[in-house]
Amino acid sequence: MEDTLGFDKLYNDVVGNGYDFGTGSWAVVNKDIEMKMDEYGAYHPVSKRNLSDFTVEEVNVLKQVCLSTSDKNEDDISKTLFKDIPQIKYDKQLGYYSDLFVGHVVEDGIRENASSGGLSTWILKELLEKKYVDGIIHIVKTNNKNRLFEYGISKNIDEIIKGSKTRYYPVEYSEVMKRIKKEPGNYAIIGLPSYIMEIRLLMENDSVIRDRIKYTVGLVCGHQKTAKYADFLAWQCGIQPGTLEKIDFRKKLSNEPSSSYAVEVTGMVNGESKTVIKKMRELRGADWGQGAFKVSASDYTDDVYNETADITLGDAWLPEYTKDSKGNNIVIVRNNTIKELLYSGIADGRLKLDQVDKSVIKKSQASHYRHTHDELAYRLYKKEKKHIWHPIKRVLPSKRLSFIRSRIQDRRAIIAKLTSEIYVEAVKKNDISYFFKKLDPQVSAYRNLYRIKRIVTKLKKI
């Protein structure tokens, strides 16, 4: 893109083509842009003035704080941040790292209230408790039925613990970033790869944010969901769309593997507020690979392990760890202060962490890496074939993907798009069966591809 690119062209390329992650970065750097949720439950930047009225200088700033258009990628940022740390290592998949662990928090009350091993809550608590920061920027519950979660700032331990749990729900941080610019202090922030990367880009362009964000805690996540995903799960539990009050996406089930969990929802059932718990495997939408209600930009990132974060945490999807119903984290450490906190926690028995080889970390996210990174080449190729603009990624466009895997990619894209569109229609009709009827042919086709794949794999072994 040229420096003289107008905002109307930039906006169409990024937002119009579905490459904006909804972080709120544009609304942070320009007062005439705000974040709004669309009818499908995804955040997008919206301009208060004509797109053609933005100056070249304004457009250049917007371009530089956006992951899809910045001149800098994750390699550029992480190299600046981490390459000079003594004894730091580098791996093409994991990025920079000093230590790799799998494990959980032993300290009372934290792991039980977390979705997995409790490490994210524990680290944020330690940073605040030991006064490395004055506040934690994380996702908190709201009292708004139209927006169940948002980024907030917590300044005490109880608030941090209340903010535990995975939220498969869209949030944006423009208001929080504006707030920390007005409130001096040191802060830590937690987020998905695109969110942490765009924080890093904001830090490159704003000295106040750079000075005040001291630590970044990154999460591994298969993809972002729209807000309608929460409503869809709740509707299957009998809660009418628009009346959902609370949701726990990852309620742990004792005596079951950590990969087997439930959803707990509270909302209106036949005119009364009720709480319903159902195992995820009993609900549609539990198969993460299908990509139901996926935010489209999720398919255009190549950062699986949150490479620009000071520490990355994810679920330990490994047989030897998932048998523990309480959950375990994979841990990729890049920051020495956080590293010291972890070793201190291990030494005094508050953490149970196994030091592991990088192959263990990779194995825990193998399918996620294949889709997000390896098969991105095919998704980019499809854009080029249709002459649609796409971001420059560290993966080059290529059609070199097996017939079955390419068809799986095609089907996932269809399901992601259709789920949001059909869901809106189903709500208007007040008929969830309409949703299933319309989507089932696509889901069946997706499952058939995997059946064929298994047959082909068996035949190759004969």
Side-chain angles (χ1 to χ4, degrees), residues 116-346:
S116 191
L119 264 296
S120 59
T121 301
W122 189 88
I123 289 163
L124 296 173
K125 177 187 76 72
E126 289 291 298
L127 288 171
L128 186 66
E129 208 165 49
K130 291 181 166 48
K131 302 191 184 305
Y132 287 108
V133 297
D134 305 298
I136 301 297
I137 304 167
H138 65 145
I139 300 171
V140 298
K141 297 176 184 176
T142 73
N143 294 317
N144 185 345
K145 290 181 182 179
N146 296 318
R147 187 177 65 180
L148 297 178
F149 302 98
E150 63 185 7
Y151 261 107
I153 300 175
S154 291
K155 296 190 176 182
N156 64 61
I157 305 303
D158 288 343
E159 289 178 345
I160 294 173
I161 292 174
K162 285 180 182 177
S164 299
K165 291 279 187 177
T166 298
R167 320 290 191 191
Y168 300 129
Y169 198 89
V171 291
E172 60 88 18
Y173 48 48
S174 63
E175 294 304 315
V176 164
M177 287 298 117
K178 292 173 186 176
R179 182 177 160 189
I180 71 163
K181 290 184 71 171
K182 296 176 182 177
E183 299 178 12
N186 296 328
Y187 298 88
I189 184 169
I190 185 168
L192 305 179
S194 55
Y195 285 69
I196 298 299
M197 178 59 179
E198 291 200 354
I199 282 291
R200 295 299 193 187
L201 296 176
L202 284 169
M203 292 167 75
E204 293 251 321
N205 285 271
D206 190 312
S207 60
V208 177
I209 293 175
R210 181 169 63 247
D211 290 342
R212 293 181 182 172
I213 301 289
K214 298 298 183 183
Y215 301 96
T216 58
V217 176
L219 301 173
V220 174
C221 180
H223 58 258
Q224 295 169 230
K225 296 288 193 186
T226 71
K228 301 305 179 186
Y229 180 62
D231 281 345
F232 174 62
L233 296 179
W235 201 1
Q236 293 178 76
C237 297
I239 292 172
Q240 288 298 305
T243 70
L244 177 61
E245 299 165 14
K246 297 178 184 177
I247 182 167
D248 179 351
F249 292 96
R250 294 275 297 271
K251 185 173 180 64
K252 294 178 181 180
L253 299 172
S254 58
N255 303 317
E256 295 212 24
S258 60
S259 54
S260 177
Y261 51 86
V263 61
E264 180 177 16
V265 291
T266 300
M268 301 304 290
V269 179
N270 298 323
E272 293 182 52
S273 180
K274 291 187 177 180
T275 296
V276 181
I277 299 172
K278 279 199 175 185
K279 293 180 179 179
M280 276 297 290
R281 62 174 175 262
E282 297 174 2
L283 302 176
R284 295 284 294 271
D287 184 341
W288 213 254
Q290 289 180 17
F293 298 94
K294 181 194 295 184
V295 173
S296 61
S298 295
D299 270 343
Y300 297 93
T301 174
D302 53 27
D303 182 4
V304 173
Y305 291 101
N306 221 319
E307 297 169 46
T308 67
D310 291 316
I311 183 170
T312 296
L313 305 165
D315 288 291
W317 298 129
L318 298 160
E320 60 269 37
Y321 289 100
T322 56
K323 60 186 179 183
D324 184 344
S325 63
K326 293 181 181 178
N328 284 279
N329 290 114
I330 59 166
V331 186
I332 303 171
V333 188
R334 304 186 183 98
N335 176 281
N336 279 339
T337 299
I338 294 177
K339 175 180 175 178
E340 290 170 6
L341 292 176
L342 292 174
Y343 274 101
S344 175
I346 294 169

Side-chain angles (χ1 to χ4, degrees), residues 379-395:
R379 297 192 292 275
L380 295 175
Y381 159 76
K382 286 176 63 181
K383 293 292 184 181
E384 291 204 342
K385 188 177 179 182
K386 294 179 180 178
H387 305 289
I388 298 172
W389 180 88
H390 66 76
I392 297 173
K393 308 308 296 183
R394 293 173 295 175
V395 175

Side-chain angles (χ1 to χ4, degrees), residues 3-130:
D3 287 344
T4 55
L5 183 68
F7 189 38
D8 48 358
K9 177 68 164 62
L10 177 64
Y11 191 91
N12 183 64
D13 282 346
V14 177
V15 182
N17 287 319
Y19 303 124
D20 64 307
F21 291 89
T23 67
S25 62
W26 279 0
V28 175
V29 298
N30 195 296
K31 62 180 176 57
D32 287 327
I33 297 175
E34 59 186 343
M35 298 300 293
K36 289 188 176 181
M37 190 178 284
D38 67 16
E39 66 173 324
Y40 303 115
Y43 275 113
H44 299 290
V46 175
S47 176
K48 299 177 187 176
R49 54 185 160 111
N50 291 332
L51 300 182
S52 58
D53 290 342
F54 283 74
T55 67
V56 171
E57 290 75 18
E58 286 177 306
V59 174
N60 283 337
V61 172
L62 295 171
K63 177 184 170 185
Q64 289 308 317
V65 300
C66 174
L67 171 57
S68 294
T69 55
S70 173
D71 293 336
K72 295 187 177 181
N73 62 28
E74 290 86 351
D75 285 339
D76 300 321
I77 298 294
S78 61
K79 188 179 293 184
T80 301
L81 292 168
F82 307 123
K83 77 177 180 66
D84 293 327
I85 295 174
Q87 300 178 323
I88 198 79
K89 306 175 192 71
Y90 178 79
D91 178 83
K92 190 175 181 180
Q93 284 192 31
L94 306 182
Y96 289 93
Y97 67 95
S98 61
D99 291 82
L100 303 172
F101 299 103
V102 178
H104 58 265
V105 178
V106 178
E107 193 171 340
D108 287 345
I110 294 179
R111 189 186 187 198
E112 291 73 15
N113 290 315
S115 294
S116 191
L119 264 296
S120 59
T121 301
W122 189 88
I123 289 163
L124 296 173
K125 177 187 76 72
E126 289 291 298
L127 288 171
L128 186 66
E129 208 165 49
K130 291 181 166 48

Side-chain angles (χ1 to χ4, degrees), residues 391-438:
I392 297 173
K393 308 308 296 183
R394 293 173 295 175
V395 175
L396 296 176
S398 173
K399 63 179 180 179
R400 296 183 63 184
L401 188 63
S402 73
F403 176 80
I404 294 296
R405 291 303 311 178
S406 61
R407 296 293 80 79
I408 288 171
Q409 283 295 316
D410 295 342
R411 197 61 58 182
R412 283 174 173 169
I414 292 170
I415 290 172
K417 185 174 187 295
L418 283 182
T419 43
S420 292
E421 294 176 355
I422 296 172
Y423 181 80
V424 171
E425 295 173 11
V427 171
K428 289 177 182 177
K429 294 176 180 290
N430 192 28
D431 184 4
I432 196 170
S433 66
Y434 174 85
F435 178 90
F436 297 136
K437 181 181 177 181
K438 285 286 189 178

